[in-house]
Amino acid sequence: LVEEGHEGSRHGASFRIRCPPVGPVLVNLPSTYPASGHPSFTAERLRGSQAAAVQEGLASVARELAGQECVFQVLSALPEVALLSGVEEVEEAPSSKLEISEKQDPGHWAKESADGTVLLLSVRSGPKVKTSRITNASELRRVSNVGSICIDLATSRNTENYELANLLATCLQIKAEDVEFLVGKPKDKASGEKQALIRSLTREDAVSRLLK
């Protein structure tokens, strides 16, 4: 998360997501999104003609999805856009850069990575959800092999990633900008499964703060 949108402001929210093969992508949402206007996407590690080509390619996909919540669909098209723009891998893919220790239980909801800690989340949202909170905290404390942190996320005028970053930041006592969401597969979007990279904490610290 980079910046919060303020009511009455012409500026919307901004957040950063790591997207292979181009690395961090800065997403800027207009204050009128998704009703009108299009989000913009900037691949921060690209330069020159490649950066311009990727930005225009993503903008073209966003225009085709006008009036919809399109961020996930646009970012899902990024590998094809990057290929057409002649972009090679500019950073290690999550499978290597965010390598998980083999000593850990693979079913655990907190994974050690080279950049911090990756939390596995299962998010439920919609009109029936009235309060944003972790719903299986008791189970996380008692059971060692829980697969994910279950989160209820209340409907808000802000994006789901924005609200989720703030909830995690509050629970972990960190800044919201230290929370980065990793792009998964389309089925993860449909099922509410997410991965959040917590840059400022070790696995031990993250688990301790969530379970206290």
Side-chain angles (χ1 to χ4, degrees):
L1 180 71
V2 180
E3 181 182 357
E4 175 183 4
H6 299 283
E7 191 169 359
S9 169
R10 61 187 178 89
H11 300 293
S14 299
F15 54 91
R16 185 176 289 106
I17 298 181
R18 176 177 297 176
C19 304
V22 304
V25 174
L26 180 64
V27 182
N28 293 299
L29 303 178
S31 59
T32 54
Y33 174 84
S36 63
H38 309 292
S40 65
F41 303 84
T42 304
E44 296 181 311
R45 295 192 180 180
L46 296 183
R47 296 292 183 271
S49 59
Q50 286 188 335
V54 168
Q55 186 168 353
E56 175 53 33
L58 295 179
S60 177
V61 177
R63 287 193 292 269
E64 293 176 1
L65 298 168
Q68 306 177 42
E69 293 187 358
C70 65
V71 171
F72 180 81
Q73 292 95 319
V74 174
L75 293 177
S76 295
L78 181 55
E80 181 180 357
V81 171
L83 180 63
L84 294 174
S85 303
V87 176
E88 298 180 354
E89 191 90 11
V90 298
E91 71 166 6
E92 294 178 274
S95 59
S96 57
K97 188 173 181 64
L98 298 176
E99 185 175 359
I100 295 170
S101 170
E102 295 179 357
K103 297 180 181 180
Q104 294 178 25
D105 178 0
H108 202 283
W109 47 270
K111 309 288 188 180
E112 198 86 49
S113 87
D115 292 331
T117 300
V118 176
L119 300 180
L120 308 183
L121 314 174
S122 180
V123 181
R124 184 175 74 102
S125 59
K128 293 184 178 180
V129 178
K130 304 301 181 184
T131 304
S132 295
R133 63 189 183 95
I134 295 175
T135 60
N136 66 336
S138 177
E139 184 182 15
L140 294 175
R141 296 186 185 98
R142 294 183 290 103
V143 183
S144 62
N145 61 345
V146 177
S148 62
I149 304 169
C150 296
I151 294 177
D152 275 1
L153 204 62
T155 302
S156 167
R157 64 183 180 85
N158 296 310
T159 66
E160 180 175 294
N161 279 351
Y162 175 85
E163 294 295 341
L164 188 54
N166 272 280
L167 176 63
L168 291 173
T170 299
C171 294
L172 294 167
Q173 303 170 44
I174 60 174
K175 296 179 179 179
E177 53 261 36
D178 288 329
V179 179
E180 179 179 324
F181 295 106
L182 309 179
V183 175
K185 299 177 182 178
K187 66 178 183 179
D188 295 333
K189 171 72 172 181
S191 64
E193 303 300 315
K194 288 179 177 285
Q195 295 186 49
L197 172 63
I198 310 301
R199 290 190 171 276
S200 55
L201 296 178
T202 65
R203 177 179 179 273
E204 182 179 359
D205 286 340
V207 170
S208 175
R209 295 188 186 191
L210 278 174
L211 300 186
K212 71 174 186 178

